[in-house]
Amino acid sequence: MKVLLNGVGRIGKAILRIANNSTTFKIVAINELNTNIENIAYSINYDSTYGRFEDPFTTNKSYIQNKKSKILVLNEKSLSDIDFKKYEIDIVIDASG
């Protein structure tokens, strides 16, 4: 199952960690209001509650990626502005708070 994760705050990071080790679902896109992709990757890799991410993410233009995942980062204010078919999204998890 291909998932779009809306928000990578406390809950979004927890879901991302679970997905990184899952064979059931895969995060293929993140929608985050923060437009600084380097900051997004850093906050996932070095979290004050969850600690360091085992398989850290690097950035590549509009993606964050590690050994297991390549995740498109979007910055849409509204989910209705995202073409789910274009990105082959099966489900959206709203972790925006």
Side-chain angles (χ1 to χ4, degrees):
M1 185 179 318
K2 294 181 180 179
V3 176
L4 178 137
L5 182 59
N6 190 47
V8 284
R10 182 71 46 226
I11 302 302
K13 289 177 196 174
I15 294 167
L16 187 60
R17 285 171 180 263
I18 293 166
N20 197 60
N21 295 314
S22 175
T23 57
T24 307
F25 71 103
K26 181 177 182 174
I27 307 292
V28 295
I30 291 173
N31 186 50
E32 175 60 40
L33 293 179
N34 179 357
T35 58
N36 185 331
I37 195 167
E38 297 284 337
N39 182 261
I40 293 168
Y42 183 87
S43 72
I44 293 168
N45 290 335
Y46 304 100
D47 187 81
S48 61
T49 299
Y50 301 121
R52 290 184 179 205
F53 203 82
E54 295 174 5
D55 182 13
F57 284 94
T58 59
T59 60
N60 183 2
K61 297 183 183 181
S62 59
Y63 289 88
I64 60 172
Q65 59 190 38
N66 63 11
K67 293 176 187 170
K68 296 181 181 179
S69 302
K70 182 176 181 182
I71 303 172
L72 175 67
V73 177
L74 304 169
N75 304 112
E76 299 295 340
K77 290 184 180 179
S78 174
L79 287 174
S80 63
D81 294 333
I82 299 171
D83 183 354
F84 299 117
K85 289 182 182 180
K86 176 181 178 182
Y87 301 113
E88 301 177 6
I89 304 297
D90 297 312
I91 191 168
V92 174
I93 298 176
D94 188 1
S96 62

